[in-house]
Amino acid sequence: MVKTVLCDMLGIDYPIIQAGMGPFSTVKLAAAVSNAGGLGTISIPYSTGPEEGAKIVKEHLHMVKKLTNKNFAVNTPIGSEKTSSKIVFETFEAIIDAVVEEKQSDPELKKRLVLYITSGGNPQKHVKKIKDAGFLHFHVVGSVYHAKKMEALGVDGVIASGYEMGGHTHLPDRAVHTFILVPAVAKAVKLPVVASGGICDGATFAAALALGAVGVQMGTRFIAAKECDFHENYKKFVVEAGEWSDIVVPSFIGPARCLDGDTEKGLIAAGQVSSRINEILSVKEIIENTVKEAEEIIQKLNKIFLKV
Ligand SMILES: Cc1cc2nc3c(=O)[nH]c(=O)nc-3n(C[C@H](O)[C@H](O)[C@H](O)COP(=O)(O)O)c2cc1C
């Protein structure tokens, strides 16, 4: 069975993390992923500002706590004082403070809300607070440069997410794809590295491990899950997307990868991997198929090696 150091760190059966996908609710999805042996993640909620954002995220923490007795995670982007709008930046800060406070005051959260995933900005100001509250802290990076910076800041792990990822992605002139990014980051830092961007099945999971990752984070694959909180039409969009369905457009904290539907009405955030996702499955099927397929692939590769 595929077990890595990530399983021990996070207290999970399979080294698979469900990506934060705000500003949508991932309450049901997070609980389903944790119940199936991976690590579910609560996302930043849609809100009108700091006060409402903090209130909703606290509600989400308690909802997930009740839907699973396993460990889970929370994600908050950081944004930037220079490029994010003031209200967005302040809302993210209020959410981090609310989550930290809630973990410290609730015995169940203290035990089971094990990982804080920050992303999209510099988490320096928050590292001590997050770690003092008893979290493991991973930050999402898109370059070796940022991975090294995070190692120096003292985070516990990095999630190396390539340009093909869904939602907010790299600046086009600083884009690094997963196949280039993950092995480079794994070589450059001593921290555990989780691979993200374009992962959806056993082949991509096994490849991530071969590239030096200790686990994977999947976003788009989990949108097309039966238990996912997203609207059924959103799931359908992912399943029906093909090659060349995705585009990168300017968005509120940087460029974002979306599927190009009716551009009069809008775009929906999803990864390039949508073209490889053809079925809405249960979370348990997604996780178990991914692990089983990866094990078969690794065994097959071993056999090829032995014949030489
Ligand atoms: C709909 C959607 C919303 C997202 N929102 C967030 C978010 O709030 N915070 C974050 O760190 N990443 C966000 N992401 C990126 C994911 O966390 C993850 O890095 C990405 O989905 C991985 O690539 P994949 O979609 O190919 O699996 C989002 C992705 C999608 C598809």
Side-chain angles (χ1 to χ4, degrees):
M1 207 161 101
V2 180
K3 284 259 176 206
T4 71
V5 63
L6 193 71
C7 299
D8 298 330
M9 274 181 98
L10 302 173
I12 52 177
D13 295 332
Y14 307 116
I16 297 177
I17 298 175
Q18 167 243 316
M21 290 187 285
F24 307 104
S25 164
T26 53
V27 164
K28 289 185 201 147
L29 179 61
V33 170
S34 289
N35 283 333
L39 192 77
T41 303
I42 293 169
S43 308
I44 41 152
Y46 175 78
S47 74
T48 52
E51 218 172 284
E52 196 189 23
K55 180 176 165 282
I56 302 174
V57 84
K58 281 187 188 183
E59 287 165 8
H60 286 185
L61 295 177
H62 293 287
M63 284 159 85
V64 175
K65 182 183 86 177
K66 287 187 188 129
L67 291 171
T68 180
N69 57 14
K70 303 277 181 66
N71 293 350
F72 55 100
V74 62
N75 163 245
T76 312
I78 304 292
S80 144
E81 256 168 315
K82 277 192 227 144
T83 56
S84 310
S85 70
K86 193 165 176 282
I87 190 156
V88 168
F89 190 71
E90 287 175 0
T91 302
F92 292 163
E93 286 216 327
I95 287 175
I96 296 177
D97 288 344
V99 171
V100 162
E101 193 187 298
E102 212 62 6
K103 176 170 163 88
Q104 283 168 321
S105 62
D106 183 292
E108 273 297 296
L109 293 178
K110 205 175 255 179
K111 221 169 48 195
R112 296 197 288 112
L113 181 60
V114 290
L115 176 67
Y116 212 123
I117 302 171
T118 53
S119 54
N122 184 349
Q124 182 163 13
K125 188 173 159 189
H126 305 288
V127 176
K128 186 174 181 316
K129 171 168 67 184
I130 287 173
K131 297 194 59 162
D132 284 353
F135 281 103
L136 285 168
H137 180 188
F138 287 6
H139 187 75
V140 181
V141 298
S143 66
V144 166
Y145 171 82
H146 288 107
K148 283 185 170 169
K149 267 186 106 163
M150 289 308 115
E151 185 166 53
L153 277 188
V155 303
D156 301 291
V158 288
I159 300 180
S161 201
Y163 185 53
E164 51 270 68
M165 66 190 279
H168 283 102
T169 188
H170 309 201
L171 292 166
D173 60 349
R174 293 200 174 173
V176 188
H177 293 80
T178 302
F179 238 70
I180 308 298
L181 180 70
V182 175
V185 170
K187 203 170 170 188
V189 296
K190 292 197 177 67
L191 297 171
V193 177
V194 174
S196 166
I199 295 152
C200 68
D201 59 4
T204 41
F205 177 43
L209 297 175
L211 296 176
V214 297
V216 294
Q217 169 177 271
M218 298 195 286
T220 304
R221 174 60 271 193
F222 282 124
I223 295 176
K226 285 183 187 151
E227 297 91 335
C228 180
D229 316 50
F230 287 30
H231 194 280
E232 292 307 308
N233 289 346
Y234 205 125
K235 301 179 189 182
K236 231 173 119 209
F237 227 96
V238 168
V239 165
E240 286 173 3
E243 275 182 327
W244 310 319
S245 293
D246 61 310
I247 54 167
V248 175
V249 294
S251 183
F252 69 103
I253 49 170
R257 186 176 303 280
C258 301
L259 298 179
D260 185 7
D262 183 343
T263 46
E264 293 294 310
K265 292 183 183 152
L267 297 155
I268 69 156
Q272 194 165 87
V273 75
S274 300
S275 67
R276 299 198 59 235
I277 299 168
N278 308 310
E279 239 185 321
I280 298 172
L281 298 172
S282 71
V283 163
K284 193 168 184 296
E285 284 171 320
I286 293 171
I287 291 183
E288 288 181 359
N289 293 351
T290 298
V291 173
K292 191 166 163 280
E293 268 175 42
E295 284 165 357
E296 284 166 7
I297 289 166
I298 293 164
Q299 274 167 16
K300 211 163 96 188
L301 291 174
N302 249 329
K303 279 191 198 136
I304 293 171
F305 181 70
L306 288 175
K307 270 188 209 157
V308 174

